[in-house]
mmCIF file of all heavy atoms in Angstrom:
data_model
loop_
_atom_site.group_PDB
_atom_site.id
_atom_site.type_symbol
_atom_site.label_atom_id
_atom_site.label_comp_id
_atom_site.label_asym_id
_atom_site.label_seq_id
_atom_site.Cartn_x
_atom_site.Cartn_y
_atom_site.Cartn_z
ATOM 1 N N CYS A 13 175.017 -80.732 85.366
ATOM 2 C CA CYS A 13 174.307 -79.685 86.109
ATOM 3 C C CYS A 13 174.571 -78.301 85.516
ATOM 4 O O CYS A 13 173.673 -77.452 85.486
ATOM 5 C CB CYS A 13 174.707 -79.723 87.578
ATOM 6 S SG CYS A 13 174.055 -81.139 88.497
ATOM 7 N N ALA A 14 175.789 -78.061 85.051
ATOM 8 C CA ALA A 14 176.120 -76.770 84.443
ATOM 9 C C ALA A 14 175.301 -76.542 83.175
ATOM 10 O O ALA A 14 174.769 -75.449 82.944
ATOM 11 C CB ALA A 14 177.621 -76.701 84.132
ATOM 12 N N LEU A 15 175.176 -77.573 82.347
ATOM 13 C CA LEU A 15 174.379 -77.447 81.131
ATOM 14 C C LEU A 15 172.902 -77.303 81.453
ATOM 15 O O LEU A 15 172.178 -76.529 80.803
ATOM 16 C CB LEU A 15 174.616 -78.664 80.229
ATOM 17 C CG LEU A 15 176.003 -78.743 79.580
ATOM 18 C CD1 LEU A 15 176.229 -80.123 78.962
ATOM 19 C CD2 LEU A 15 176.181 -77.651 78.525
ATOM 20 N N ALA A 16 172.428 -78.024 82.465
ATOM 21 C CA ALA A 16 171.029 -77.914 82.871
ATOM 22 C C ALA A 16 170.736 -76.536 83.455
ATOM 23 O O ALA A 16 169.670 -75.957 83.211
ATOM 24 C CB ALA A 16 170.696 -78.999 83.890
ATOM 25 N N ASN A 17 171.686 -76.005 84.216
ATOM 26 C CA ASN A 17 171.543 -74.659 84.761
ATOM 27 C C ASN A 17 171.404 -73.633 83.642
ATOM 28 O O ASN A 17 170.555 -72.731 83.694
ATOM 29 C CB ASN A 17 172.750 -74.329 85.644
ATOM 30 C CG ASN A 17 172.743 -72.904 86.155
ATOM 31 O OD1 ASN A 17 173.103 -71.974 85.440
ATOM 32 N ND2 ASN A 17 172.355 -72.717 87.403
ATOM 33 N N TYR A 18 172.233 -73.784 82.613
ATOM 34 C CA TYR A 18 172.176 -72.844 81.485
ATOM 35 C C TYR A 18 170.863 -73.002 80.719
ATOM 36 O O TYR A 18 170.297 -72.018 80.239
ATOM 37 C CB TYR A 18 173.365 -73.062 80.561
ATOM 38 C CG TYR A 18 173.494 -71.989 79.499
ATOM 39 C CD1 TYR A 18 173.646 -70.653 79.855
ATOM 40 C CD2 TYR A 18 173.451 -72.309 78.147
ATOM 41 C CE1 TYR A 18 173.760 -69.660 78.894
ATOM 42 C CE2 TYR A 18 173.568 -71.330 77.171
ATOM 43 C CZ TYR A 18 173.719 -70.011 77.557
ATOM 44 O OH TYR A 18 173.823 -69.027 76.597
ATOM 45 N N ALA A 19 170.382 -74.238 80.607
ATOM 46 C CA ALA A 19 169.100 -74.459 79.951
ATOM 47 C C ALA A 19 167.992 -73.701 80.684
ATOM 48 O O ALA A 19 167.125 -73.073 80.054
ATOM 49 C CB ALA A 19 168.776 -75.950 79.904
ATOM 50 N N CYS A 20 168.017 -73.729 82.013
ATOM 51 C CA CYS A 20 167.034 -72.978 82.803
ATOM 52 C C CYS A 20 167.158 -71.489 82.545
ATOM 53 O O CYS A 20 166.147 -70.775 82.441
ATOM 54 C CB CYS A 20 167.212 -73.276 84.289
ATOM 55 S SG CYS A 20 166.768 -74.949 84.791
ATOM 56 N N ARG A 21 168.380 -71.013 82.424
ATOM 57 C CA ARG A 21 168.599 -69.588 82.162
ATOM 58 C C ARG A 21 168.058 -69.180 80.802
ATOM 59 O O ARG A 21 167.708 -68.018 80.581
ATOM 60 C CB ARG A 21 170.089 -69.266 82.269
ATOM 61 C CG ARG A 21 170.589 -69.252 83.709
ATOM 62 C CD ARG A 21 172.074 -69.546 83.825
ATOM 63 N NE ARG A 21 172.895 -68.609 83.091
ATOM 64 C CZ ARG A 21 174.226 -68.736 82.943
ATOM 65 N NH1 ARG A 21 174.835 -69.778 83.515
ATOM 66 N NH2 ARG A 21 174.907 -67.850 82.268
ATOM 67 N N LEU A 22 167.962 -70.144 79.885
ATOM 68 C CA LEU A 22 167.398 -69.866 78.563
ATOM 69 C C LEU A 22 165.894 -70.119 78.510
ATOM 70 O O LEU A 22 165.283 -70.022 77.446
ATOM 71 C CB LEU A 22 168.101 -70.720 77.505
ATOM 72 C CG LEU A 22 169.587 -70.430 77.251
ATOM 73 C CD1 LEU A 22 170.109 -71.317 76.134
ATOM 74 C CD2 LEU A 22 169.810 -68.961 76.913
ATOM 75 N N GLY A 23 165.316 -70.468 79.663
ATOM 76 C CA GLY A 23 163.874 -70.671 79.715
ATOM 77 C C GLY A 23 163.420 -72.084 79.429
ATOM 78 O O GLY A 23 162.218 -72.322 79.248
ATOM 79 N N LEU A 24 164.365 -73.042 79.388
ATOM 80 C CA LEU A 24 164.028 -74.443 79.158
ATOM 81 C C LEU A 24 163.917 -75.168 80.495
ATOM 82 O O LEU A 24 164.678 -74.899 81.419
ATOM 83 C CB LEU A 24 165.096 -75.112 78.290
ATOM 84 C CG LEU A 24 165.320 -74.505 76.903
ATOM 85 C CD1 LEU A 24 166.548 -75.134 76.244
ATOM 86 C CD2 LEU A 24 164.087 -74.692 76.033
ATOM 87 N N SER A 25 162.998 -76.105 80.580
ATOM 88 C CA SER A 25 162.828 -76.854 81.825
ATOM 89 C C SER A 25 163.827 -77.997 81.889
ATOM 90 O O SER A 25 164.148 -78.633 80.876
ATOM 91 C CB SER A 25 161.406 -77.400 81.929
ATOM 92 O OG SER A 25 161.108 -78.246 80.827
ATOM 93 N N SER A 26 164.344 -78.262 83.095
ATOM 94 C CA SER A 26 165.282 -79.351 83.331
ATOM 95 C C SER A 26 164.885 -80.077 84.608
ATOM 96 O O SER A 26 164.204 -79.513 85.470
ATOM 97 C CB SER A 26 166.715 -78.822 83.474
ATOM 98 O OG SER A 26 167.134 -78.143 82.315
ATOM 99 N N GLN A 27 165.346 -81.310 84.712
ATOM 100 C CA GLN A 27 165.125 -82.045 85.960
ATOM 101 C C GLN A 27 166.198 -83.116 86.093
ATOM 102 O O GLN A 27 166.563 -83.770 85.117
ATOM 103 C CB GLN A 27 163.735 -82.676 86.003
ATOM 104 C CG GLN A 27 163.251 -82.937 87.426
ATOM 105 C CD GLN A 27 161.739 -82.935 87.525
ATOM 106 O OE1 GLN A 27 161.047 -83.138 86.550
ATOM 107 N NE2 GLN A 27 161.207 -82.701 88.716
ATOM 108 N N PHE A 28 166.704 -83.265 87.329
ATOM 109 C CA PHE A 28 167.813 -84.175 87.615
ATOM 110 C C PHE A 28 167.304 -85.402 88.361
ATOM 111 O O PHE A 28 166.542 -85.289 89.326
ATOM 112 C CB PHE A 28 168.865 -83.450 88.463
ATOM 113 C CG PHE A 28 170.051 -84.294 88.841
ATOM 114 C CD1 PHE A 28 171.224 -84.249 88.096
ATOM 115 C CD2 PHE A 28 170.004 -85.129 89.952
ATOM 116 C CE1 PHE A 28 172.315 -85.021 88.450
ATOM 117 C CE2 PHE A 28 171.090 -85.906 90.313
ATOM 118 C CZ PHE A 28 172.254 -85.852 89.558
ATOM 119 N N TYR A 29 167.740 -86.579 87.912
ATOM 120 C CA TYR A 29 167.415 -87.825 88.611
ATOM 121 C C TYR A 29 168.631 -88.752 88.585
ATOM 122 O O TYR A 29 169.317 -88.851 87.561
ATOM 123 C CB TYR A 29 166.255 -88.578 87.924
ATOM 124 C CG TYR A 29 164.901 -87.974 88.129
ATOM 125 C CD1 TYR A 29 164.341 -87.154 87.156
ATOM 126 C CD2 TYR A 29 164.166 -88.222 89.286
ATOM 127 C CE1 TYR A 29 163.087 -86.598 87.326
ATOM 128 C CE2 TYR A 29 162.910 -87.671 89.467
ATOM 129 C CZ TYR A 29 162.374 -86.852 88.486
ATOM 130 O OH TYR A 29 161.137 -86.309 88.654
ATOM 131 N N ARG A 30 168.872 -89.436 89.691
ATOM 132 C CA ARG A 30 169.749 -90.588 89.662
ATOM 133 C C ARG A 30 168.927 -91.751 89.130
ATOM 134 O O ARG A 30 167.773 -91.940 89.526
ATOM 135 C CB ARG A 30 170.309 -90.899 91.038
ATOM 136 C CG ARG A 30 171.298 -89.859 91.554
ATOM 137 C CD ARG A 30 171.956 -90.295 92.848
ATOM 138 N NE ARG A 30 172.806 -91.470 92.660
ATOM 139 C CZ ARG A 30 172.520 -92.680 93.119
ATOM 140 N NH1 ARG A 30 171.396 -92.906 93.795
ATOM 141 N NH2 ARG A 30 173.332 -93.699 92.912
ATOM 142 N N VAL A 31 169.497 -92.529 88.233
ATOM 143 C CA VAL A 31 168.742 -93.587 87.566
ATOM 144 C C VAL A 31 168.088 -94.555 88.558
ATOM 145 O O VAL A 31 166.897 -94.876 88.410
ATOM 146 C CB VAL A 31 169.640 -94.344 86.564
ATOM 147 C CG1 VAL A 31 168.925 -95.582 86.025
ATOM 148 C CG2 VAL A 31 170.022 -93.422 85.412
ATOM 149 N N PRO A 32 168.796 -95.051 89.592
ATOM 150 C CA PRO A 32 168.142 -95.981 90.525
ATOM 151 C C PRO A 32 166.898 -95.396 91.189
ATOM 152 O O PRO A 32 165.877 -96.091 91.348
ATOM 153 C CB PRO A 32 169.241 -96.278 91.563
ATOM 154 C CG PRO A 32 170.524 -96.028 90.839
ATOM 155 C CD PRO A 32 170.223 -94.870 89.932
ATOM 156 N N ILE A 33 166.963 -94.129 91.575
ATOM 157 C CA ILE A 33 165.821 -93.496 92.239
ATOM 158 C C ILE A 33 164.671 -93.298 91.262
ATOM 159 O O ILE A 33 163.492 -93.505 91.596
ATOM 160 C CB ILE A 33 166.256 -92.160 92.867
ATOM 161 C CG1 ILE A 33 167.260 -92.407 93.996
ATOM 162 C CG2 ILE A 33 165.050 -91.387 93.380
ATOM 163 C CD1 ILE A 33 167.811 -91.155 94.631
ATOM 164 N N LEU A 34 164.991 -92.902 90.033
ATOM 165 C CA LEU A 34 163.945 -92.715 89.027
ATOM 166 C C LEU A 34 163.250 -94.036 88.725
ATOM 167 O O LEU A 34 162.019 -94.088 88.596
ATOM 168 C CB LEU A 34 164.542 -92.129 87.750
ATOM 169 C CG LEU A 34 163.560 -91.926 86.590
ATOM 170 C CD1 LEU A 34 162.421 -91.005 86.994
ATOM 171 C CD2 LEU A 34 164.283 -91.386 85.358
ATOM 172 N N MET A 35 164.019 -95.109 88.632
ATOM 173 C CA MET A 35 163.418 -96.417 88.355
ATOM 174 C C MET A 35 162.492 -96.853 89.491
ATOM 175 O O MET A 35 161.442 -97.444 89.260
ATOM 176 C CB MET A 35 164.514 -97.455 88.140
ATOM 177 C CG MET A 35 165.314 -97.270 86.849
ATOM 178 S SD MET A 35 164.282 -97.316 85.349
ATOM 179 C CE MET A 35 164.096 -95.560 84.996
ATOM 180 N N GLU A 36 162.872 -96.556 90.722
ATOM 181 C CA GLU A 36 162.005 -96.873 91.865
ATOM 182 C C GLU A 36 160.689 -96.098 91.789
ATOM 183 O O GLU A 36 159.619 -96.639 92.076
ATOM 184 C CB GLU A 36 162.729 -96.550 93.167
ATOM 185 C CG GLU A 36 163.844 -97.523 93.537
ATOM 186 C CD GLU A 36 164.482 -97.178 94.872
ATOM 187 O OE1 GLU A 36 163.950 -96.272 95.556
ATOM 188 O OE2 GLU A 36 165.494 -97.798 95.227
ATOM 189 N N SER A 37 160.796 -94.826 91.384
ATOM 190 C CA SER A 37 159.579 -94.018 91.291
ATOM 191 C C SER A 37 158.672 -94.511 90.168
ATOM 192 O O SER A 37 157.441 -94.473 90.296
ATOM 193 C CB SER A 37 159.937 -92.547 91.064
ATOM 194 O OG SER A 37 160.430 -92.324 89.756
#
């Protein structure tokens, strides 16, 4: 999450998923 937060601060898009939930989707 810390690295993803910094990516957002640099203008890069991020998204978090737990693998089981992503597989269901």
Side-chain angles (χ1 to χ4, degrees):
C13 288
L15 290 168
N17 175 281
Y18 189 59
C20 291
R21 286 155 59 186
L22 294 183
L24 300 171
S25 59
S26 300
Q27 204 153 22
F28 179 96
Y29 286 98
R30 291 187 66 251
V31 171
I33 294 177
L34 178 59
M35 291 301 100
E36 287 182 8
S37 72

